[in-house]
Amino acid sequence: MALAVGIDIGGTKVSVGVVDQEGRVVAKSALKTDLTVPPGHMVARIAESVNGMMAEHGWNYVDMMGIGIGAPGPLDPKAGKITCPPNLPSWKDFTLAAELQKRLPCDIRLENDATAATLAEKWLGAARETDHFVYLTISTGIGAGIYLHGKLITGATGNAGDAGHIVVDPAAGQCTCGQYGCWEQVASGTAIARQASELRGKPVTAKQVFELADQGDSEMLALVNKVYRYVGVGCVSLINLLDPDMIVIGGGVSQVGAPLFQAVQQYVSRHALNPSGRETAVVPAVLDQDAGLIGAAALIHREYA
């Protein structure tokens, strides 16, 4: 059985798993992304998790085709390095692939996490039948993967798709990247929690925001509707720029479900410039929270470049 290790590094957690050639996750675990320790310590924990899965299932590294890593950008995929990720500030210029290579005897490929998830949704998910789509993840931050004309579009340095830093509302405050009013500054899970906490004067999570809105809390409902509008604004920008026939949305915020997708679809149908763009389907990711993990493994299993 051909197996690959997938590692999905996020701002709050790291998912680690083993995926077979059919895209089945045959083992997985999760670690908290600990920003209080140097990134090398996190790599040691990741390697320990991989070794633990290998031992538990009786696999040898000769059974592994390789290790794929999806990580937040900006990054340098050719050098296997994370350069300056806003949500992982202590990982600046960290040679992730080389550090992991010291601990695990496999070939390693590194790509942007949203790019990896895009590959997974094309392979097994919502975008199997289209050659023109954008995958959007709304979680700690906002990222996108671009798949057009039957192939991933990764750009000159592998960093295409940093959609979270499209400016959608300059009046909304300064983003961690230094600009004012970035998309993830107003519509990511982190942004939702921050805005709600400011309104209430105490810590409020993004999950609590949606729960309170569902219960009829007018203040939280107004915030949620504003977030939906911001998601729509960003999607219209992507549609006008890239002309996909589908936008697939994943990540933690997408778990709110139908209300988000209905609101964004309605916004797109009214505001996309091209009449055909107004018909762009906005759909949930099929692979849900495993998209990044499967996508990381797909960097090994699938031809994509």
Side-chain angles (χ1 to χ4, degrees), residues 269-291:
S269 70
R270 290 195 301 267
H271 296 292
L273 183 62
N274 193 312
S276 64
R278 295 171 206 152
E279 298 177 1
T280 304
V282 181
V283 303
V286 168
L287 299 177
D288 198 19
Q289 300 305 297
D290 282 337

Side-chain angles (χ1 to χ4, degrees), residues 7 9-11 14 31-48 69 71-72 80-85 87-103 110:
I7 300 171
I9 297 176
V14 178
L31 309 170
K32 178 184 176 182
T33 304
D34 189 348
L35 298 179
T36 68
V37 302
H41 289 201
M42 276 303 304
V43 167
R45 295 176 188 176
I46 292 167
E48 182 180 351
I69 307 173
K81 180 170 72 174
I82 296 181
T83 55
C84 53
N87 294 320
L88 296 173
S90 61
W91 292 53
K92 183 177 180 180
D93 292 325
F94 180 59
T95 52
L96 174 58
E99 289 300 315
L100 192 62
Q101 190 78 76
K102 294 176 184 176
R103 296 171 172 86
L110 171 69

Side-chain angles (χ1 to χ4, degrees), residues 102-185:
K102 294 176 184 176
R103 296 171 172 86
L104 299 176
C106 286
D107 291 335
I108 297 173
R109 300 190 76 164
L110 171 69
E111 284 285 357
N112 179 278
D113 50 0
T115 297
T118 302
L119 191 61
E121 286 293 328
K122 174 59 182 173
W123 182 19
L124 300 167
R128 282 176 289 182
E129 302 303 319
T130 178
D131 283 335
H132 307 278
F133 75 99
V134 175
Y135 172 80
L136 183 66
T137 177
I138 308 177
S139 190
T140 304
I142 294 179
I146 304 164
Y147 195 97
L148 299 175
H149 302 286
K151 63 181 181 179
L152 281 171
I153 306 298
T154 57
T157 64
N159 287 291
D162 249 332
H165 299 282
I166 296 171
V167 173
V168 298
D169 185 354
Q174 189 172 26
C175 179
T176 54
C177 77
Q179 290 200 105
Y180 286 79
C182 288
W183 197 9
E184 72 175 46
Q185 173 69 11

Side-chain angles (χ1 to χ4, degrees), residues 121-262:
E121 286 293 328
K122 174 59 182 173
W123 182 19
L124 300 167
R128 282 176 289 182
E129 302 303 319
T130 178
D131 283 335
H132 307 278
F133 75 99
V134 175
Y135 172 80
L136 183 66
T137 177
I138 308 177
S139 190
T140 304
I142 294 179
I146 304 164
Y147 195 97
L148 299 175
H149 302 286
K151 63 181 181 179
L152 281 171
I153 306 298
T154 57
T157 64
N159 287 291
D162 249 332
H165 299 282
I166 296 171
V167 173
V168 298
D169 185 354
Q174 189 172 26
C175 179
T176 54
C177 77
Q179 290 200 105
Y180 286 79
C182 288
W183 197 9
E184 72 175 46
Q185 173 69 11
V186 296
S188 66
T190 305
I192 295 166
R194 186 196 71 249
Q195 292 171 89
S197 298
E198 291 171 353
L199 287 169
R200 290 294 167 89
K202 63 180 182 179
V204 182
T205 68
K207 181 180 179 182
Q208 289 170 334
V209 171
F210 289 111
E211 289 172 348
L212 289 167
D214 281 344
Q215 293 165 14
D217 185 302
S218 59
E219 192 172 45
M220 293 299 101
L221 182 60
L223 173 58
V224 165
N225 286 333
K226 182 172 72 170
V227 168
Y228 290 165
R229 180 172 58 82
Y230 279 135
V231 174
V233 169
C235 286
V236 166
S237 294
L238 292 174
I239 291 166
N240 290 345
L241 180 66
L242 299 170
D243 193 28
D245 53 28
M246 179 182 291
I247 291 183
V248 180
I249 304 181
V253 173
S254 72
Q255 299 306 297
V256 69
L260 168 68
F261 288 92
Q262 291 168 0

